């Protein structure tokens, strides 16, 4: 298939682009390089530099694209609280421009990078797709609004859409790994300390109602996550919008992550307890039974493999 990957110069988008190319698809990446990296775009993919609002219509018009995989987004929760307008504009506004460009060009399918942040603080875990959606920050709210728009475009215009709601993505796929300028995520931050970049890991809170008092999250390997996108692409059906959670179904605490990082790196990794981070729920674990049952997806790589691959990636840079 001829595919447009928005945000294909970013972490998840570049991994998915690489997997799509390996599966024999033709890939065009559309990225404004505001947070992505030109050298992350896999060889064999053509890069068009631009925003969705200014460029998507021109790229798609009359070009015979069969589907879009949509990753381009602002994704820092803290920043979204400080600058909600930026998140509504870049995430929702530009996604609507993309959807209209797809409609005009007759592109029938979209796989969208949604998030567990659409659920907010869960009433119970593991989180099912039918759980209430009450995002606690503008990032999650803007992604939820896009999910809603996809459902409307499916109903009104016959679009075939799939939203994949990611939990905590980690690991690397070969030369594609996490390279955020502002890094807020736990695993890359712990591995930076292992490399000697910083004094100590700050573990945000040790008094949560969890077995060791630190927050529990559901980590999923970026390669497993990437594979799900290929299945989702095949599952897009005209006039429907489907939602699938993507996690491993296993919870790991911040303390456990730090311990596995110590084992994998063989380094001491000093860690200290810091105050809770605002807005962190105690436990976020996905039920990914739906995607397992309906699309035949299964996670294959455990936490140790994620950390191992992230560590190999970090040391290769
Ligand atoms: N965390 C931490 N220290 C850090 C970064 C994150 O203790 O330097 C904790 C954070 O409070 C959360 C978990 O690690 O409980 C995962 O955070 P991350 O930012 O990786 O992902 P999130 O779950 O917020 O999407």
């Amino acid at each position: 298939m001829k595919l447009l990957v928005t945000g294909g110069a970013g972490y998840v988008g570049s991994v998915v682009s690489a997997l799509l190319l390996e599966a024999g698809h033709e890939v065009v990446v559309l990225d404004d390089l505001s947070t992505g990296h030109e050298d992350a775009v896999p060889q064999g993919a053509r890069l068009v530099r631009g925003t969705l609002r200014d460029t998507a219509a021109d790229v798609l018009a009359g070009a015979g694209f069969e589907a879009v995989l949509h990753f381009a987004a602002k994704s820092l929760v803290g920043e979204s609280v400080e600058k909600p307008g930026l998140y509504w504009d870049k995430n929702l506004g530009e996604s609507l421009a993309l959807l209209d460009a797809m409609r005009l060009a007759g592109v029938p399918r979209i796989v969208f990078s949604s998030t567990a942040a659409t659920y907010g603080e869960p009433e119970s875990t593991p989180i099912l797709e039918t759980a209430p959606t009450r995002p606690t920050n503008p990032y999650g709210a803007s992604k939820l609004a896009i999910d809603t728009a996809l459902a409307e475009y499916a109903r009104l215009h016959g679009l075939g859409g799939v939203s994949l709601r990611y939990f905590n993505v980690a690991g690397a796929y070969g030369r594609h790994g996490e390279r955020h300028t502002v890094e807020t995520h736990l695993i890359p931050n712990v591995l930076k300390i292992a490399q000697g970049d910083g004094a100590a890991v700050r573990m945000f809170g040790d008094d949560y109602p969890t077995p060791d008092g630190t927050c529990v999250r559901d980590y999923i390997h970026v390669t497993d996550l990437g594979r799900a996108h290929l299945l989702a692409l095949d599952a897009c059906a005209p006039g429907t919008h489907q939602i699938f959670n993507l996690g491993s179904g296993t919870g790991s605490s911040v303390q456990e992550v730090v311990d596995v990082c110590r084992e994998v790196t063989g380094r001491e990794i000093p860690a200290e307890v810091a105050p809770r981070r605002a807005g962190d729920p105690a436990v976020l674990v996905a039920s990914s039974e739906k995607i397992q049952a309906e699309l035949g997806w299964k996670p294959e790589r455990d936490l140790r493999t994620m950390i191992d691959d992230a560590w190999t990636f970090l040391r290769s840079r």
Side-chain angles (χ1 to χ4, degrees), residues 168 184-186 189 201-204 215 217 219 254 277 280 284:
N168 290 63
T184 59
H185 292 138
L186 179 64
N189 275 336
V201 176
R202 299 180 72 230
M203 300 201 298
F204 298 138
C215 285
R217 293 289 179 273
Y219 295 89
V254 172
R277 191 172 68 176
D280 269 340
L284 284 179

Side-chain angles (χ1 to χ4, degrees), residues 77 115 117 139 167-169 178 183-190 200-205 208 214-219 252-254 257-258 272 274-277 279-282 284:
V77 169
T115 169
Y139 165 66
F167 282 65
N168 290 63
V169 190
E178 269 186 283
E183 188 52 80
T184 59
H185 292 138
L186 179 64
I187 292 176
N189 275 336
V190 176
V201 176
R202 299 180 72 230
M203 300 201 298
F204 298 138
Y208 283 96
T214 64
C215 285
V216 169
R217 293 289 179 273
D218 183 340
Y219 295 89
S252 305
S253 72
V254 172
V257 168
V258 173
E272 62 192 26
R276 288 184 176 196
R277 191 172 68 176
D280 269 340
L284 284 179

Side-chain angles (χ1 to χ4, degrees), residues 29 265 276 287 311:
V29 166
T265 62
R276 288 184 176 196
S287 163
W311 180 233

